[in-house]
């Protein structure tokens, strides 16, 4: 009998690696979003052995990035390579772990292909974003919990193995949380799923004893990681451990964290609908395959796994919808939908496909027709909700670039791609699983292709990035920094967005944000410096007097004013300033909104405290040195005030 040739599915991992290299390095990268700068800054703090400057994002991903600084000025390209290498290695781990839930090697290879080339897994490698770690780590955690859970009730497994497995399970759960804070909502689910199999056997004293010991091990592994984060920060910073530090290190004060939202928890229904529609548009082909399974035809253990997996999806939708309902930048309407928060649901559907594929049976033609009709109808409906203003009218760019990187094909191609997606769904429903994989690769390929210019597409929807490029073209390869009030509602505080551009347009483009800074930010006098302002904030009469020094932009309402050693802003005394001098410090109080002013001392933007409608600046005399003046810039009328120190 002729031996069947084995298909080397491991080669899929190698192909993935080289395609990632081409995808990332064969095109110019544009490092431009605040998330990237924050991750980079935390990574640098870790590398330098300092207390992290921000708990805006957790430490696991920046810890991995910190290795890149061993390579000096090449750190950025090394960070991108770390993304690729990390996802490739973890893809190999996922393939190994799939053996515990997919017996057939060929089916395992098909599942690996679905995962590797799904937009949810393939994209983001050219961005310094935690999605590069969270996606594979979520899959590894899911596969570990599904494959190892039943050892809790096995009589043949030694107690020490149960304890170690529980400790690993806890470590994976907390590692997810310390990769993205949104995973905190999953921790109770991990706990419930891991130990629920022991519940029916709790009449057995041995089971009770072992379960309690395993619970302790699971909890200790979580506590050690969280405690280590808090303790490390306190040792490095010299702070005492208190409740505020603990809450800060757990992300309670980040984004829509409980501290910032008054512990409000319920999301708005419109956001729940939108965050349900977003992953369905990506996963329609896979969801269609999963709907072929009849509930009564699958074993109880598989049903439990499906309930567990769908619960993860529901919780991700809930936490994303809550975030968008309560975060400050959506206070004035549906301005931003962060689709990447729920893109992991696509990967979860692929795991459901993996564990249920062998239970499919022949079905009636009428059942297939009804399912196809529903899938096509839902695809059109989801597109209309997200992109067609069908139920609500969100901002035009609410899914631009990083907000909806996996769905750029829908954004760019519109209903043409909706029709293509519907055709692929129909074809995959009619033919076998290999055709389904081909349909998936075609669908994913178009999405990946449309993301090739994601950086440029992102810039096109953000006038300050486009304008910065225009300035660099004008001033050549000089270092350019831009300080902007164009998004003063983003953090509800001083918005000094700076772009440090190194080299040509394919070089580094780091995005600085004073909202994340606990200390002054340097302004280099030798660099070309600009303020960007809204037209509505400018006194036209005064503006005309300095119009020769203002760079106008034809594509937006943003203006640029040069102010290096030769200040072109109007000199004017601000009557709202109070100066109090003591032996050790100078306190400057200005009754202005923080989005309207900025104080510079020694070419540094000074941090402030906003108290009773005024910005208060505390400046230590030792830090001032021989400096005799500070300069306060006021954006609303393009004026500056010199303050004697």
């Amino acid at each position: 009998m002729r031996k069947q040739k084995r298909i080397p599915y491991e080669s899929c991992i190698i192909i993935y690696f080289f395609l990632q290299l081409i995808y990332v390095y064969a095109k110019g990268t544009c490092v431009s979003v605040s998330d990237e700068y924050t991750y980079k800054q935390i990574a640098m703090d870790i590398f330098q052995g300092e207390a992290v400057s921000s708990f805006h994002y957790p430490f696991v991903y920046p810890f991995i990035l910190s290795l890149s600084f061993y390579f000096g000025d090449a750190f950025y390209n090394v960070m991108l390579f770390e993304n690729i290498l990390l996802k490739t290695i973890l893809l190999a781990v996922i393939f190994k772990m799939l053996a515990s839930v997919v017996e057939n090697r060929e089916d395992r290879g098909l599942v690996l292909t679905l995962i590797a080339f799904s937009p949810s897994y393939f994209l983001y490698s050219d961005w310094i974003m935690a999605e590069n770690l969270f996606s594979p780590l979520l899959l590894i955690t899911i596969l570990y919990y599904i494959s190892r859970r039943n050892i809790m009730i096995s009589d043949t497994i030694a107690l020490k193995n149960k304890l170690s497995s529980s400790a690993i399970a806890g470590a994976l759960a907390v590692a997810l949380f310390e990769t993205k804070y949104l995973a905190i909502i999953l921790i109770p689910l991990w706990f419930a799923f891991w130990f629920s199999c022991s519940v029916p056997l709790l009449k057995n004293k041995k089971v009770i004893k072992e379960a309690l010991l395993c619970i302790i091990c699971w909890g200790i592994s979580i506590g050690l990681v969280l405690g280590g984060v808090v303790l490390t920060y306190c040792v490095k910073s010299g702070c005492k451990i208190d409740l505020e530090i603990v809450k800060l290190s757990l992300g309670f004060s980040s984004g829509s964290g409980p501290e910032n939202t008054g512990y409000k928890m319920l999301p708005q229904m419109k956001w729940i609908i939108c965050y349900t529609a977003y992953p369905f548009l990506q996963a329609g082909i896979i969801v269609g395959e999963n709907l072929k399974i009849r509930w009564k035809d699958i074993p109880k253990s598989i049903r439990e796994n499906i309930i567990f997996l769908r619960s993860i999806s529901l919780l991700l939708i809930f936490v994303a919808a809550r975030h968008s309902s309560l975060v400050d930048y959506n206070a004035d309407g549906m301005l931003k939908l962060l689709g990447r928060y729920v893109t992991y649901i696509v990967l979860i559907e692929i795991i459901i496909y993996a564990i249920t594929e062998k239970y499919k049976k022949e079905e009636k033609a009428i059942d297939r027709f009804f399912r196809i009709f529903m899938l096509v109808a839902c695809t059109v409906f989801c597109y209309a909700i997200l992109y067609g203003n069908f139920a609500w009218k969100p901002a035009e760019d609410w899914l631009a670039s990083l907000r909806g990187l996996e769905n750029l094909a829908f954004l760019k191609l519109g209903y043409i791609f909706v029709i293509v997606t519907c055709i692929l769904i129909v074809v995959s429903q009619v033919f076998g699983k290999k055709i389904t994989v081909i349909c998936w690769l075609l669908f994913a390929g178009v999405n990946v292709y449309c993301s090739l210019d994601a950086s440029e597409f992102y810039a096109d929807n953000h006038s300050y990035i486009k304008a910065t490029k225009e300035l660099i073209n004008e001033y050549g390869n000089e270092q350019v920094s831009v300080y902007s009030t164009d998004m003063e509602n983003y953090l509800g505080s001083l918005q000094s967005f700076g772009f440090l551009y190194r080299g040509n347009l394919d070089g580094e483009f780091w995005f600085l944000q004073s909202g994340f800074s606990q200390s002054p930010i340097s302004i280099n006098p030798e660099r070309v410096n600009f303020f960007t302002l809204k037209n509505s904030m400018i006194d036209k009469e005064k503006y005309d007097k300095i119009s020769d020094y203002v760079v106008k932009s034809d594509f937006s309402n943003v203006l640029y004013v040069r102010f290096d050693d030769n200040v072109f802003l109007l000199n004017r005394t601000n009557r709202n300033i109070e100066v109090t001098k003591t032996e050790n410090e100078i306190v400057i109080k200005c009754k202005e909104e923080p989005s309207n002013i900025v104080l510079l001392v020694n070419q540094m933007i000074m941090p402030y405290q906003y108290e009773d409608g005024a910005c208060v600046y505390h400046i230590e005399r030792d830090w001032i040195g021989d400096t005799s003046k500070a300069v306060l810039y006021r954006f609303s009328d393009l004026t500056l005030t010199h303050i004697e120190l």
Side-chain angles (χ1 to χ4, degrees):
M1 186 175 180
R2 188 177 180 180
K3 188 176 181 180
Q4 187 177 3
K5 186 178 180 180
R6 292 183 61 182
I7 301 175
Y9 286 108
E10 290 81 357
S11 61
C12 173
I13 299 173
I14 299 173
I15 293 171
Y16 172 86
F17 176 74
F18 284 104
L19 286 178
Q20 283 275 294
L21 290 175
I22 295 170
Y23 175 77
V24 171
Y25 292 111
K27 60 187 180 69
T29 57
C30 175
V31 185
S32 56
V33 294
S34 60
D35 305 63
E36 294 186 290
Y37 173 72
T38 307
Y39 282 123
K40 173 249 183 181
Q41 195 60 45
I42 297 173
M44 183 180 290
D45 292 338
I46 294 171
F47 176 76
Q48 294 174 343
E50 299 175 357
V52 295
S53 56
S54 171
F55 276 113
H56 192 76
Y57 297 115
F59 84 96
V60 172
Y61 182 61
F63 178 79
I64 296 171
L65 293 180
S66 67
L67 301 175
S68 65
F69 291 105
Y70 283 108
F71 297 86
D73 290 340
F75 72 88
Y76 172 61
N77 282 321
V78 175
M79 284 181 177
L80 298 182
F81 184 76
E82 281 183 297
N83 284 341
I84 297 171
L85 188 63
L86 180 69
K87 290 165 72 174
T88 303
I89 292 173
L90 294 182
L91 189 65
V93 174
I94 290 167
F95 181 65
K96 184 75 173 175
M97 296 182 72
L98 281 171
S100 62
V101 295
V102 182
E103 296 174 3
N104 184 284
R105 189 175 182 279
E106 182 176 347
D107 288 344
R108 196 157 65 245
L110 293 178
V111 172
L112 180 74
T113 303
L114 293 175
I115 292 172
F117 298 105
S118 67
S120 305
Y121 197 96
F122 191 88
L123 301 179
Y124 293 104
S125 300
D126 56 339
W127 299 83
I128 308 302
M129 302 288 284
E131 277 71 16
N132 291 294
L133 174 60
F134 191 82
S135 291
L137 189 57
L138 177 64
L139 289 176
I140 288 171
T141 305
I142 286 172
L143 290 171
Y144 186 85
Y145 270 71
I146 287 176
S147 61
R148 300 287 293 173
R149 171 183 178 240
N150 286 330
I151 69 167
M152 298 298 298
I153 56 175
S154 174
D155 293 330
T156 60
I157 303 294
L159 177 59
K160 64 178 182 179
N161 291 335
K162 294 181 181 180
L163 294 176
S164 62
S165 295
S166 295
I168 293 171
L172 287 171
V174 75
L176 275 174
F177 167 68
E178 285 294 347
T179 302
K180 285 188 78 71
Y181 286 135
L182 61 82
I184 190 172
I185 199 171
L186 300 179
I187 291 179
L189 181 62
W190 299 124
F191 176 85
F193 183 72
W194 185 256
F195 294 105
S196 61
C197 60
S198 301
V199 173
L201 302 176
L202 288 183
K203 293 181 180 179
N204 186 318
K205 291 183 178 180
K206 180 184 176 183
V207 173
I208 294 176
K209 179 182 176 181
E210 291 186 349
L212 288 175
L213 290 173
C214 288
I215 289 173
I216 292 172
C217 276
W218 191 88
I220 287 175
S221 64
I222 289 181
L224 285 175
V225 174
L226 297 181
V229 172
V230 176
L231 186 62
T232 301
Y233 175 77
C234 290
V235 170
K236 295 289 185 181
S237 65
C239 297
K240 293 182 179 179
I241 299 178
D242 57 25
L243 182 60
E244 291 304 314
I245 291 293
V246 172
K247 290 192 292 185
L248 183 68
S249 64
L250 294 180
F252 276 38
S253 301
S254 299
S256 62
E259 289 285 284
N260 293 340
T261 58
Y263 288 84
K264 297 177 182 177
M265 291 296 151
L266 295 180
Q268 297 174 5
M269 182 55 65
K270 62 182 179 182
W271 287 107
I272 293 176
I273 294 173
C274 290
Y275 277 110
T276 303
Y278 184 88
F280 182 86
L281 269 186
Q282 298 175 58
I285 294 173
I286 307 300
V287 170
E289 291 300 305
N290 293 340
L291 290 177
K292 291 180 180 179
I293 307 299
R294 291 185 296 185
W295 193 250
K296 65 179 181 180
D297 293 335
I298 55 179
K300 180 184 176 183
S301 60
I302 301 299
R303 293 181 197 172
E304 291 175 351
N305 290 341
I306 294 173
I307 293 172
F308 166 62
L309 292 169
R310 291 269 162 77
S311 297
I312 295 175
S313 298
L314 290 174
L315 289 175
L316 290 175
I317 290 171
F318 175 87
V319 74
R322 179 196 170 274
H323 172 80
S324 290
S325 298
L326 300 175
V327 74
D328 54 1
Y329 54 68
N330 281 327
D332 296 327
M334 302 177 76
L335 302 182
K336 295 182 183 180
L337 185 142
L338 299 177
R340 66 180 186 273
Y341 285 6
V342 291
T343 188
Y344 320 108
I345 293 174
V346 180
L347 301 174
I348 292 172
E349 288 297 320
I350 293 176
I351 297 300
I352 294 176
Y353 171 83
I355 64 177
T356 59
E357 172 62 23
K358 67 179 181 179
Y359 299 106
K360 289 179 182 177
K361 295 183 178 181
E362 290 293 326
E363 59 181 348
K364 297 178 182 179
I366 187 65
D367 293 336
R368 178 180 297 175
F369 174 81
F370 179 74
R371 185 174 60 252
I372 291 174
F373 174 80
M374 291 301 297
L375 288 168
V376 170
C378 287
T379 300
V380 175
F381 175 77
C382 290
Y383 177 84
I385 286 288
L386 295 174
Y387 302 96
N389 299 332
F390 175 71
W392 305 282
K393 192 172 183 180
E396 289 185 7
D397 65 340
W398 82 317
L399 272 168
S401 194
L402 275 180
R403 300 172 200 162
L405 195 59
E406 306 84 5
N407 273 356
L408 278 183
F410 287 104
L411 187 60
K412 290 184 174 183
L413 304 178
Y415 276 105
I416 293 175
F417 193 60
V418 175
I419 294 172
V420 170
T421 302
C422 291
I423 293 173
L424 292 175
I425 288 174
V426 173
V427 172
S428 66
Q429 286 290 300
V430 173
F431 298 98
K433 57 189 176 185
K434 290 185 178 179
I435 298 299
T436 297
V437 174
I438 293 173
C439 290
W440 179 249
L441 291 176
L442 291 172
F443 172 82
V446 176
N447 271 292
V448 171
Y449 177 79
C450 287
S451 75
L452 290 176
D453 64 344
S455 295
E456 298 298 323
F457 190 73
Y458 185 85
D460 288 343
N461 285 277
H462 293 78
S463 56
Y464 47 85
I465 298 178
K466 286 187 67 176
T468 303
K469 290 187 174 183
E470 186 178 271
L471 294 174
I472 289 165
N473 288 333
E474 179 180 346
Y475 287 92
N477 283 336
E478 292 182 74
Q479 289 189 339
V480 175
S481 59
V482 177
Y483 299 87
S484 168
T485 61
D486 197 31
M487 292 178 66
E488 67 272 15
N489 292 324
Y490 183 71
L491 287 178
S493 61
L494 170 65
Q495 293 306 293
S496 298
F497 297 88
F499 296 90
L500 169 57
Y501 217 100
R502 296 176 56 182
N504 56 33
L505 294 181
D506 293 332
E508 293 177 43
F509 194 6
W510 286 112
F511 177 59
L512 312 178
Q513 188 169 331
S514 68
F516 295 135
S517 176
Q518 302 300 318
S519 59
I521 295 176
S522 296
I523 292 182
N524 186 344
E526 298 176 356
R527 188 181 302 153
V528 182
N529 295 289
F530 294 86
F531 275 111
T532 70
L533 306 136
K534 289 183 177 178
N535 273 340
S536 60
M537 301 174 68
I538 296 173
D539 184 318
K540 180 65 175 167
E541 182 179 347
K542 294 176 180 177
Y543 161 72
D544 287 339
K545 297 178 183 178
I546 57 171
S547 59
D548 292 342
Y549 309 111
V550 176
V551 180
K552 295 184 178 181
S553 178
D554 295 331
F555 49 76
S556 75
N557 65 348
V558 184
L559 305 169
Y560 304 86
V561 183
R562 184 170 180 172
F563 72 98
D564 51 21
D565 291 338
N566 300 309
V567 178
F568 298 132
L569 300 185
L570 299 178
N571 283 279
R572 177 186 175 187
T573 301
N574 190 318
R575 302 297 180 185
N576 295 323
I577 297 176
E578 297 178 11
V579 181
T580 304
K581 300 180 180 180
T582 66
E583 183 179 351
N584 297 320
E585 70 172 2
I586 298 173
V587 179
I588 299 176
K589 183 177 181 180
C590 185
K591 293 182 179 180
E592 295 276 2
E593 289 299 313
S595 60
N596 193 37
I597 60 172
V598 64
L599 181 72
L600 269 68
V601 180
N602 285 336
Q603 297 294 334
M604 306 284 272
I605 295 179
M606 301 303 298
Y608 64 90
Q609 295 175 344
Y610 190 60
E611 302 172 357
D612 300 324
C615 293
V616 181
Y617 303 87
H618 294 268
I619 308 170
E620 296 181 8
R621 286 189 176 274
D622 292 341
W623 184 83
I624 295 173
D626 298 329
T627 304
S628 60
K629 288 183 180 181
V631 181
L632 184 83
Y633 292 91
R634 190 168 186 258
F635 303 137
S636 57
D637 56 3
L638 296 182
T639 61
L640 62 86
T641 301
H642 291 283
I643 303 171
E644 295 290 339
L645 300 178

